[in-house]
Amino acid sequence: MELQELFERLAILCISIFTLYYFSNRNRNIRLHPLLGLISICTFFMCLVFTKAEYNLGVGFGLFAIFSILRFRTETFTIQTIVFLFVSITISLLDGLLPIKNLEILLGINISIVVIYLILNYFEKKSPIVSEKNSIEVISSLDFLQLEEAERKRVLTEKTKLKNFSYNIKSINLNDNIVILKVSH
């Protein structure tokens, strides 16, 4: 791979990842960390090194083991973060390993993945099922926990003026004797 082709592939990757990152973080409560984009850049360069050097299967299993250990030692990720990571790693693998003489095909593949990602991301934000905009927090006393289910629904109906809803206990604060509820409608 020539130096010009390397820079072209890296530019395609960077533009794709920046576009994914930018549109993933728009109008969202949970933001992706900017350093997540480095994972795809690192994967791209690892692929380039693996194509130039002879490595055995043990190196691949070793990398898999390292990533697995890191995954179980970190905080849990949101679905959006996992999808972003998977898509960015896939794009970086394609950009680094796909043996294509014509870079327009590679650019087309990247554009296709990015456009589909953005369309699905748009529909996900518009879906009322997964939208966090349809939930509110309600603070109640600890006595709420001792009520029967029908009485809990009545209390929440009075507080929220909602007829159809579901609720989850978000947290219990024993110091202040309060329960914080997440009411979805």
Side-chain angles (χ1 to χ4, degrees):
M1 183 180 306
E2 295 179 11
L3 195 58
Q4 179 183 354
E5 182 182 357
L6 173 74
F7 285 127
E8 289 171 350
R9 287 176 180 253
L10 185 60
I12 291 170
L13 173 66
C14 290
I15 291 169
S16 299
I17 297 305
F18 176 76
T19 305
L20 292 175
Y21 176 79
Y22 176 75
F23 285 102
S24 293
N25 280 342
R26 288 183 48 190
N27 304 323
R28 194 179 288 288
N29 293 335
I30 300 170
R31 301 245 176 229
L32 296 175
H33 198 281
L35 294 178
L36 287 174
L38 277 179
I39 293 173
S40 60
I41 304 297
C42 293
T43 305
F44 175 78
F45 284 116
M46 280 183 4
C47 290
L48 288 178
V49 168
F50 288 156
T51 58
K52 300 299 179 198
E54 298 250 344
Y55 290 100
N56 59 13
L57 193 58
V59 174
F61 282 127
L63 285 172
F64 179 74
I66 290 171
F67 287 133
S68 297
I69 291 170
L70 288 175
R71 169 64 185 110
F72 293 117
R73 302 255 188 244
T74 61
E75 65 186 44
T76 57
F77 296 121
T78 63
I79 292 173
Q80 289 84 7
T81 305
I82 292 170
V83 170
F84 175 81
L85 281 174
F86 180 75
V87 170
S88 65
I89 289 172
T90 302
I91 289 175
S92 62
L93 287 171
L94 288 172
D95 290 346
L97 295 177
L98 201 60
I100 295 178
K101 302 286 184 206
N102 199 349
L103 284 176
E104 288 83 17
I105 296 171
L106 188 63
L107 183 61
I109 292 170
N110 274 268
I111 289 172
S112 301
I113 292 172
V114 169
V115 166
I116 291 170
Y117 179 91
L118 295 178
I119 290 170
L120 293 175
N121 197 20
Y122 173 77
F123 285 130
E124 182 269 332
K125 288 180 187 176
K126 295 296 181 189
S127 173
I129 296 169
V130 294
S131 176
E132 291 294 323
K133 294 177 183 175
N134 294 330
S135 66
I136 57 173
E137 286 187 2
V138 176
I139 299 174
S140 185
S141 67
L142 282 178
D143 297 334
F144 180 83
L145 298 175
Q146 297 172 350
L147 299 174
E148 296 291 325
E149 185 63 27
E151 188 64 22
R152 287 180 182 180
K153 291 273 191 178
R154 187 191 63 75
V155 168
L156 288 174
T157 301
E158 289 175 2
K159 285 187 175 195
T160 62
K161 307 292 189 240
L162 297 171
K163 293 181 183 180
N164 296 325
F165 61 87
S166 63
Y167 71 92
N168 293 327
I169 298 173
K170 186 173 179 182
S171 65
I172 300 173
N173 187 337
L174 296 175
N175 292 334
D176 297 332
N177 292 327
I178 60 170
V179 177
I180 300 175
L181 305 159
K182 180 180 175 181
V183 179
S184 301
H185 57 93

